[in-house]
Amino acid sequence: MLNIRPIPAFADNYIWMIELPDGGAVVVDPGEAGPVINTLQRLNLSLTAVLLTHHHGDHNGGISELRDWARANGQDFTVYGAVTSLYSDIPCRDGDTVEISGLSSPIRVLSVPGHTLDHLAFVVDNALFCGDTLFSGGCGRLFEGDASQLYDSLAKLSALSDDTRVYCAHEYTLSNLRFALAVEPHNQCLHDYVEQIKGLREANQPSLPSTLGTEKAINPFLRVNQAAVKTAVAQHAGQKVADEVTCLALLRRWKDNF
């Protein structure tokens, strides 16, 4: 199993680090350089590669400083990101695979637009690094894409196996779950999960990773095909919900103003 470590950054970001057996490290979405550098030095690791899910500054803002630090220490690393990213050394597209020395399996690249148009997700073994497309109990805001794109992206992620571990980029879980309870107040799996996450956060532990199986049971944005979610959305919006894309669009609008 991969050794994956959260590096807290800003107020609520997680920069994920995969430790490689050869002393290297792969870092996902280094929005801030300092915490990454401190972790690399403390663990005596060298930075091998960076995976970028999307172009927001809290995900890519640390790359230039990391590059300067690495070169000053006789190192270098490769950035894998969207074709549109100025930081990408190797541009990635949907369906690409990335081979990194030290990883026993190639990394699969998925295009998951919605939050941004060029958003990517990366899958290695049973670990999913999904940036801001999917959160535990929630999903990212529609800053650039539309609900149809986000629906297709979430469906693509949902098609992965239920034991896939979900490494999203923010500690938003408890806030998301408060909204999820407003949508599905009678979902016992959701109530049980809330208690589990409260225990983790009270112990100052990350709520992540989740699993896709858990998210399918508790995350309203993955449950727009469920009658209870459709009914709640229709009642809140005061209109009929004709299809699942409409349900997702209205659900996202509800969450934006929750």
Side-chain angles (χ1 to χ4, degrees):
M1 181 175 290
L2 295 173
N3 187 6
I4 301 173
R5 174 186 303 272
I7 302 174
F10 303 113
D12 52 28
N13 282 61
Y14 289 126
I15 300 167
W16 296 104
M17 174 181 284
I18 307 172
E19 297 180 39
L20 303 176
D22 62 0
V26 178
V27 168
V28 185
D29 286 351
E32 192 174 12
V36 176
I37 292 170
N38 291 340
T39 304
L40 290 168
Q41 290 176 327
R42 178 167 55 85
L43 299 175
N44 195 28
L45 298 172
S46 60
L47 185 55
T48 301
V50 167
L51 308 179
L52 280 186
T53 65
H54 64 293
H55 61 255
H56 288 161
D58 62 326
H59 293 255
N60 67 18
I63 292 177
S64 295
E65 185 178 343
L66 280 172
R67 183 78 76 186
D68 291 342
W69 172 82
R71 288 176 174 168
N73 287 274
Q75 304 175 24
D76 205 355
F77 55 86
T78 303
V79 177
Y80 300 88
V83 174
T84 53
S85 173
L86 298 176
Y87 294 106
S88 295
D89 298 314
I90 298 183
C92 297
R93 298 169 175 82
D94 187 54
D96 284 352
T97 57
V98 173
E99 301 273 358
I100 294 178
S101 178
L103 287 177
S104 59
S105 303
I107 299 171
R108 290 183 287 152
V109 181
L110 303 177
S111 175
V112 286
H115 181 66
T116 65
L117 291 176
D118 57 358
H119 204 299
L120 301 177
F122 300 91
V123 183
V124 54
D125 292 344
N126 73 330
L128 166 66
F129 299 97
C130 50
D132 288 357
T133 295
L134 175 66
F135 297 128
S136 186
C139 71
R141 288 176 180 264
L142 289 167
F143 284 128
E144 296 175 8
D146 58 30
S148 179
Q149 290 172 314
L150 181 60
Y151 177 83
D152 289 342
S153 294
L154 294 176
K156 185 182 291 187
L157 298 183
S158 294
L160 301 171
S161 74
D162 282 359
D163 68 349
T164 300
R165 291 170 294 149
V166 179
Y167 294 89
C168 46
H170 290 275
E171 185 55 77
Y172 289 166
T173 308
L174 279 177
S175 175
N176 288 335
L177 294 181
R178 285 192 287 272
F179 174 71
L181 284 170
V183 178
E184 284 196 283
H186 304 298
N187 182 334
Q188 187 58 50
C189 290
L190 175 56
H191 282 279
D192 293 343
Y193 188 60
V194 168
E195 293 308 309
Q196 174 188 334
I197 297 305
K198 282 182 177 177
L200 288 172
R201 297 306 294 148
E202 287 168 3
N204 200 31
Q205 296 296 312
S207 65
L208 303 166
S210 180
T211 68
L212 273 179
T214 295
E215 294 307 309
K216 290 176 187 178
I218 63 93
N219 189 328
F221 294 93
L222 298 186
R223 294 172 57 79
V224 292
N225 62 336
Q226 297 295 309
V229 174
K230 288 181 177 178
T231 298
V233 169
Q235 289 176 345
H236 182 269
Q239 67 179 75
K240 291 183 178 179
V241 175
D243 53 53
E244 292 168 5
V245 172
T246 301
C247 187
L248 181 63
L250 293 172
L251 186 66
R252 185 60 257 181
R253 189 182 304 166
W254 183 2
K255 177 64 165 65
D256 288 347
N257 297 288
F258 185 71

